[in-house]
Amino acid sequence: MRTPHAATRRGAFTRTMTAAAAAWLACAAAHAQDLPPEQKAVAAADAAKDAKDAKGEKDKDALPTVMINATRVSSSLLKTPVAVTAITQEALSREGIHDVRGLSGTVPNLQISSGADSGVQVSIRGIGSSNFTEIGDPAVGLHVGGLYSPRPQGALALMFDLEQVEVLRGPQGTLFGRNSTGGSINILPAKPEFGETYGSMEVDVGNFRKRQVNVIQNIAVNDSLALRATLTKIRRDGWIHQQQDFTEANVPANGFVPDGVPDVDQRRNTLVKGSRYYYNRDEWAARIAGRLKLGSDVEWLLAYERFQNNGAGEVAMKDCDMAAGTAFACTGGKWDVKINVPGKTDMSIGTLRSNLVWNINANSSLEYGFALADQRRSQQSDDDAGYQPIPSQVTVHLPVGADGDFGTWPIKDEGSYTLGSKYKSQVHELQYKVHTDALQLVTGLFWMHEKNAIDYAQEQLVTAPYGFPTSQYYHQPDRQIDAKALFAQADWKFAPTWTATLGGRFSRDKKADQGGQVYGGWDGSTPAYYNGLFDPGTPGTPGFRAHNGRDLTEQMGPFAGPGAYGLWGEPAGNDHSQTWKKFTYRLGLQKQLTPLDMVYASLATGYKAGGFGDKDDACGGKECVDGPPGPHYNFFPYKPETVTNLEFGYKGLLLNKRMSLSATVFFSRYKDMQVTGDFFAAKVKHDGPCPDDNPTCDIVTKWQTVNVGVVDIPGLELELDYKPWTGARLGAFFSYIDSKVKDYPSYSDSWNCGVRADVGAPPCPDPYTGPIREFAGRQILDITGHHLPLSPKYSFGVNFAQTFQLGNGWELTPWVNVKWQDKMYFSLLNLDNAHVGDVQKAFAKVDASVKLASPKGWRAELYVLNATNKMTRNSAQDGGGFVRGYWNDPRTFGLRVGIDY
């Protein structure tokens, strides 16, 4: 329930922001009054002139005009009062960017992390989402051709043959697709072109046996019909050293003596080649599009795109540099990994997109777009990567007694399996636009509907107290998300150099789960996983033995289907639904200082719907301390999150139009941030005190999404594009962000607790024993002032290219790109420790290339990416004494050869 005090604080905050915006713009107005009369008159540069400028400047040393769609109408980048970066296809190719993940660190305050289940966490200004499930929502909206793409797995789709990619920073609560709190990425495919038939082909070969081919064909059938077909395919070996896992428990002092039989599951343990290692690539994508003029006022664009991913995915690997000098130091090579579940992915995405535009008259148009997408995926991944507890961690002794042993066992054997999924979505958007000398208006209706189905399972195959396997199987045949919105935004030029913006959006979101069932459980005291096909005997009696790696059969566990979970009892039903509603807005004021530069201020809000998880017993199969005996079923619901963002900006074209500069100062108030992880579910009864090595044995945690209180996010972003002399191009950016958590009293610090004293890190807090029920068992840590994950405080990048004219039309262009970013945390813990910190240290990345272009249309480019071979992580996980995570690519190099015809 919202308290009056909280509402008062919120109102005061909004009033303060509004007052600050008004004061700043008043200063800008006073400055404008001091300008000479000739600078007060701004040239009437409408969209037609901007489009003409975009096709080519008369002055070859002037920067070309960059057109964007950040306000749902085509406008010049430097005349659009939004923090946005546009990246061309040429820039994407030069930096080796194949999908959204490659954009990480290329623009201010954009970071991207890999996740489980083919998920991608996109974070802008520290705001992102790690809930990759079929009912979770991204905090950063992904759009293709202006149409919303709902599933985070869609970010893996190859980006090819594009006009450009536009990254909008800050909440998008009015115009773009579904409401978002962090920002938006809009991928704009190249359209079929009238008037010319042409094509291109490019081949790219590189280390790790990389092979890539890109083909583009544009066909101008006549003045009213144009077609365009594109194809791209990429293959590359994994760069790690992957070995089969035949691990045996080997702690003789505790009774674990090797017998020549692996103790990890062997059902899927097959030998694979480098082309099938984790971190490989095996993808292709194709698109065919048609563009038709239906008379002089109507145009229709229709495109079908197909993406196929057969890669192995990624595996979280130990950071050997951090583990060096500890008991967990790597014993082989840094990139050695033992795998008994080789990665497999079979993901296809088929999408039909349509956009119909009717120009009603010279000042108004009606536009209807839709996208129908069908995403299907199966996947398997090794969750333990072969990392086992070291002998000093093992506390279990064989033989175990009748009551078992809840200590640490010597084997960790875990896997995740998407046995099949089908995500079907439809997105519809209707827009009415008005554009006059004084008014630009966009109004519209938005509707998105998803119907998702998935069969997903997780396994933990050696668990306390007896070494039995456990598993849960999630059968979700009908999970639906429905989002509707009504929106409008007007830009009113109420004076020759002043424009005001007013926009609003009413959103309604509903999520429903019908017929879902959860089979199995995490109670390790039952041999139910064996499905009656293996008899371990009776604990505490002679001959008792849990399974080894060859005792498990295909009739046990996920691959045998829900029927294999019959001995666990009846599944938990998952029927549930919830609805959320929210109004968000945007207020803005823009002052054109001269025809070539302007300042602006805006106050904008964004919202992301709440949600819920799978129905599960909060007591974990045990008896809760509170409430009646028996299961305590819960859907673990969470609330929406919201962002309010105050922003001041400057955009200008300087030095005789040879340099553009964009500067943005912002302050965001982030409320009820949704954080996904392992959180408290219930306190359960336990006989006697918990042992020292397991002080929270009476606490059940569940993987769930919870809400964090308040985070303040101030920051600065600068972008520069400069042509210092003929043939030269310099680009640069700088970003600063200093996010600070203000209100999260229930944060629990359980990160690598068993080893922190050994590596000089502060110890974990003791479990909470006070009167607040929600804190029970949590290791409460005050994280006031801590930074958000994926938000390095400082980052910058500089790139430079120089084209040399060699005569007879030949050109040689060397290019170099240097990016640096400050240290970056991966959780709210913000632990700075050389051995177990949740941090990626500051680093620099250097890319370079040399391109030779002939006058006859062919070109060749030698390139190297990550030239210094700096290995960096984009995530961090608690490895039980060390840090592991997903890694960015090592040094890659190759040759691209292409021809235009």
Side-chain angles (χ1 to χ4, degrees):
M1 180 177 178
R2 188 173 69 191
T3 64
H5 181 59
T8 301
R9 288 200 308 267
R10 180 182 296 106
F13 172 70
T14 303
R15 289 193 297 273
T16 300
M17 291 179 127
T18 305
W24 183 82
L25 285 161
C27 292
H31 171 72
Q33 294 298 323
D34 294 333
L35 292 175
E38 61 271 15
Q39 290 190 357
K40 292 184 178 181
V42 176
D46 57 16
K49 183 177 183 301
D50 284 338
K52 179 180 178 181
D53 290 343
K55 292 183 178 180
E57 300 281 355
K58 292 181 179 179
D59 183 354
K60 65 179 181 180
D61 289 329
L63 288 171
T65 302
V66 178
M67 305 301 293
I68 59 172
N69 294 273
T71 55
R72 306 315 291 265
V73 294
S74 182
S75 60
S76 167
L77 173 67
L78 296 178
K79 296 180 180 179
T80 305
V82 176
V84 56
T85 301
I87 308 166
T88 65
Q89 178 65 70
E90 180 183 8
L92 295 172
S93 299
R94 180 178 278 170
E95 296 192 41
I97 296 175
H98 305 296
D99 57 42
V100 167
R101 292 174 297 179
L103 296 174
S104 184
T106 61
V107 299
N109 288 321
L110 171 65
Q111 295 289 330
I112 300 177
S113 172
S114 299
D117 210 27
S118 289
V120 176
Q121 179 179 352
V122 182
S123 177
I124 294 180
R125 296 178 177 175
I127 300 175
S129 173
S130 57
N131 186 344
F132 308 127
T133 68
E134 66 282 359
I135 208 165
D137 299 315
V140 175
L142 179 65
H143 301 78
V144 180
L147 293 168
Y148 183 68
S149 178
R151 291 297 95 214
Q153 290 82 3
L156 291 176
L158 295 174
M159 298 193 301
F160 62 104
D161 189 25
L162 306 179
E163 289 183 4
Q164 60 193 26
V165 176
E166 298 176 6
V167 181
L168 287 75
R169 301 183 294 276
Q172 303 300 312
T174 51
L175 290 178
F176 262 91
R178 202 169 174 204
N179 220 313
S180 63
T181 48
S184 174
I185 297 177
N186 190 15
I187 301 169
L188 299 171
K191 298 176 182 177
E193 295 185 26
F194 302 109
E196 184 180 6
T197 295
Y198 64 90
S200 70
M201 178 181 293
E202 184 176 79
V203 175
D204 184 339
V205 294
N207 60 332
F208 303 113
R209 295 204 317 133
K210 178 187 177 183
R211 295 92 72 203
Q212 181 175 354
V213 60
N214 306 312
V215 180
I216 300 171
Q217 182 63 57
N218 188 89
I219 302 174
V221 179
N222 52 45
D223 292 341
S224 299
L225 176 62
L227 304 175
R228 192 179 186 96
T230 61
L231 170 69
T232 183
K233 183 176 178 64
I234 180 171
R235 283 188 174 178
R236 190 196 71 184
D237 290 358
W239 49 264
I240 65 174
H241 182 208
Q242 184 169 319
Q243 308 164 55
Q244 284 184 272
D245 190 358
F246 299 106
T247 299
E248 295 182 65
N250 187 6
V251 191
N254 293 45
F256 294 93
V257 180
D259 58 4
V261 179
D263 288 312
V264 295
D265 185 14
Q266 298 297 301
R267 287 174 293 180
R268 282 163 285 282
N269 191 3
T270 57
L271 179 65
V272 297
K273 298 180 180 180
S275 61
R276 304 307 308 163
Y277 285 0
Y278 284 102
Y279 292 96
N280 75 334
R281 300 200 74 142
D282 186 1
E283 304 151 280
W284 66 265
R287 182 190 310 121
I288 184 167
R291 187 177 176 190
L292 178 64
K293 291 182 178 179
L294 301 170
S296 59
D297 300 324
V298 179
E299 183 172 297
W300 184 27
L301 176 66
L302 182 68
Y304 177 77
E305 183 174 307
R306 177 82 175 186
F307 168 67
Q308 179 67 43
N309 181 3
N310 292 111
E314 300 178 354
V315 64
M317 299 180 63
K318 182 188 291 189
D319 190 321
C320 291
D321 290 339
M322 294 182 70
T326 74
F328 299 89
C330 298
T331 56
K334 287 185 177 181
W335 312 115
D336 289 356
V337 62
K338 293 181 178 180
I339 297 296
N340 64 329
V341 183
K344 290 183 180 180
T345 304
D346 181 2
M347 179 168 70
S348 66
I349 306 176
T351 308
L352 178 68
R353 298 186 185 91
S354 171
N355 193 63
L356 184 65
V357 179
W358 174 28
N359 293 306
I360 302 171
N361 53 46
N363 297 321
S364 63
S365 64
L366 189 65
E367 184 173 336
Y368 168 61
F370 72 81
L372 307 177
D374 187 340
Q375 174 184 309
R376 305 190 183 209
R377 178 175 56 89
S378 62
Q379 186 171 358
Q380 67 179 37
S381 58
D382 191 317
D383 290 350
D384 61 81
Y387 301 120
Q388 304 297 343
I390 60 177
S392 61
Q393 288 181 298
V394 178
T395 60
V396 172
H397 289 74
L398 293 183
V400 296
D403 294 331
D405 193 324
F406 284 91
T408 301
W409 287 70
I411 292 294
K412 196 172 185 179
D413 193 8
E414 302 174 353
S416 297
Y417 306 93
T418 299
L419 299 144
S421 69
K422 182 167 67 174
Y423 299 164
K424 302 189 73 171
S425 65
Q426 53 180 309
V427 175
H428 302 264
E429 192 157 332
L430 179 67
Q431 297 180 20
Y432 174 67
K433 302 177 182 180
V434 174
H435 181 75
T436 67
D437 291 340
L439 178 67
Q440 180 175 287
L441 173 68
V442 179
T443 64
L445 301 170
F446 171 83
W447 177 47
M448 182 210 73
H449 186 80
E450 290 187 79
K451 183 175 182 180
N452 300 329
I454 188 171
D455 285 293
Y456 175 75
Q458 294 177 302
E459 293 186 317
Q460 297 177 3
L461 296 179
V462 179
T463 65
Y466 302 113
F468 291 155
T470 60
S471 174
Q472 276 197 332
Y473 186 109
Y474 305 90
H475 173 62
Q476 310 292 357
D478 188 1
R479 290 197 134 170
Q480 299 193 32
I481 302 176
D482 193 85
K484 297 183 176 72
L486 171 67
F487 61 90
Q489 181 165 304
D491 297 304
W492 176 37
K493 191 174 183 180
F494 61 90
T497 62
W498 286 90
T499 302
T501 298
L502 174 63
R505 183 185 193 95
F506 178 77
S507 301
R508 180 185 183 276
D509 294 272
K510 180 180 181 180
K511 298 181 180 181
D513 192 344
Q514 301 177 29
Q517 295 176 311
V518 180
Y519 297 85
W522 303 117
D523 181 4
S525 65
T526 171
Y529 182 95
Y530 298 134
N531 200 23
L533 302 174
F534 172 76
D535 184 6
T538 302
T541 65
F544 171 76
R545 177 183 70 84
H547 69 283
N548 61 39
R550 292 178 179 162
D551 291 324
L552 302 179
T553 72
E554 293 295 337
Q555 286 72 46
M556 306 174 189
F559 284 86
Y565 291 79
L567 296 180
W568 292 94
E570 290 298 316
N574 246 10
D575 287 10
H576 190 62
S577 67
Q578 283 186 251
T579 301
W580 304 267
K581 300 176 182 179
K582 186 69 175 179
F583 176 76
T584 50
Y585 60 87
R586 180 180 184 88
L587 304 175
L589 202 54
Q590 176 182 346
K591 168 64 178 176
Q592 198 75 36
L593 301 176
T594 74
L596 298 179
D597 64 343
M598 62 92 159
V599 293
Y600 70 91
S602 65
L603 180 65
T605 60
Y607 135 95
K608 181 155 74 79
F612 52 87
D614 297 298
K615 183 179 180 181
D616 201 0
D617 177 14
C619 307
K622 302 174 183 178
E623 187 175 348
C624 280
V625 171
D626 298 325
H632 289 195
Y633 288 115
N634 194 330
F635 286 98
F636 303 100
Y638 52 93
K639 300 183 296 183
E641 66 177 24
T642 61
V643 173
T644 301
N645 180 67
L646 175 65
E647 190 163 294
F648 305 104
Y650 167 84
K651 293 186 179 184
L653 196 58
L654 312 170
L655 301 180
N656 294 321
K657 300 183 180 181
R658 290 185 294 114
M659 185 176 78
S660 69
L661 175 65
S662 298
T664 306
V665 178
F666 64 89
F667 179 85
S668 298
R669 175 65 56 83
Y670 191 12
K671 301 194 67 175
D672 294 319
M673 177 177 71
Q674 297 169 3
V675 178
T676 301
D678 208 23
F679 295 103
F680 172 85
K683 185 177 178 66
V684 296
K685 295 180 179 179
H686 179 75
D687 294 333
C690 290
D692 291 340
D693 64 328
N694 188 15
T696 59
C697 69
D698 56 350
I699 299 298
V700 175
T701 61
K702 296 288 183 180
W703 190 260
Q704 55 183 299
T705 297
V706 301
N707 294 97
V708 178
V710 177
V711 183
D712 286 345
I713 313 174
L716 167 69
E717 297 163 345
L718 301 174
E719 292 182 281
L720 178 144
D721 191 6
Y722 182 37
K723 296 181 73 174
W725 54 79
T726 300
R729 192 75 173 262
L730 174 70
F733 75 85
F734 170 82
S735 65
Y736 162 81
I737 187 169
D738 191 22
S739 59
K740 292 185 183 296
V741 177
K742 292 190 63 178
D743 180 20
Y744 189 3
S746 61
Y747 181 82
S748 182
D749 174 15
S750 58
W751 177 270
N752 276 303
C753 290
V755 302
R756 289 199 357 198
D758 299 332
V759 297
C764 291
D766 293 329
Y768 178 83
T769 57
I772 304 176
R773 179 183 175 277
E774 290 77 10
F775 292 4
R778 295 193 184 195
Q779 294 166 279
I780 300 296
L781 178 70
D782 182 5
I783 60 169
T784 301
H786 284 208
H787 298 281
L788 288 175
L790 299 178
S791 60
K793 190 170 185 178
Y794 299 99
S795 64
F796 69 81
V798 179
N799 64 82
F800 179 76
Q802 174 68 59
T803 298
F804 297 97
Q805 303 295 333
L806 303 182
N808 298 322
W810 290 80
E811 293 182 344
L812 183 69
T813 306
W815 166 82
V816 64
N817 183 29
V818 179
K819 292 181 288 188
W820 177 90
Q821 69 176 50
D822 205 351
K823 68 180 178 183
M824 178 173 69
Y825 298 108
F826 295 111
S827 77
L828 292 170
L829 176 60
N830 289 195
L831 178 62
D832 285 303
N833 181 270
H835 299 297
V836 294
D838 63 326
V839 63
Q840 167 61 55
K841 294 187 294 184
F843 69 92
K845 180 174 179 284
V846 180
D847 306 324
S849 71
V850 178
K851 181 179 179 180
L852 178 66
S854 82
K856 295 185 178 181
W858 70 264
R859 60 195 177 276
E861 185 173 17
L862 285 168
Y863 66 87
V864 59
L865 306 174
N866 189 13
T868 62
N869 201 31
K870 179 65 177 179
M871 296 303 297
T872 58
R873 286 178 287 107
N874 57 65
S875 71
Q877 299 176 12
D878 181 345
F882 57 91
V883 175
R884 54 193 291 232
Y886 297 107
W887 291 80
N888 300 313
D889 281 345
R891 175 171 50 231
T892 57
F893 53 86
L895 172 66
R896 284 188 286 263
V897 178
I899 185 169
D900 298 328
Y901 56 86

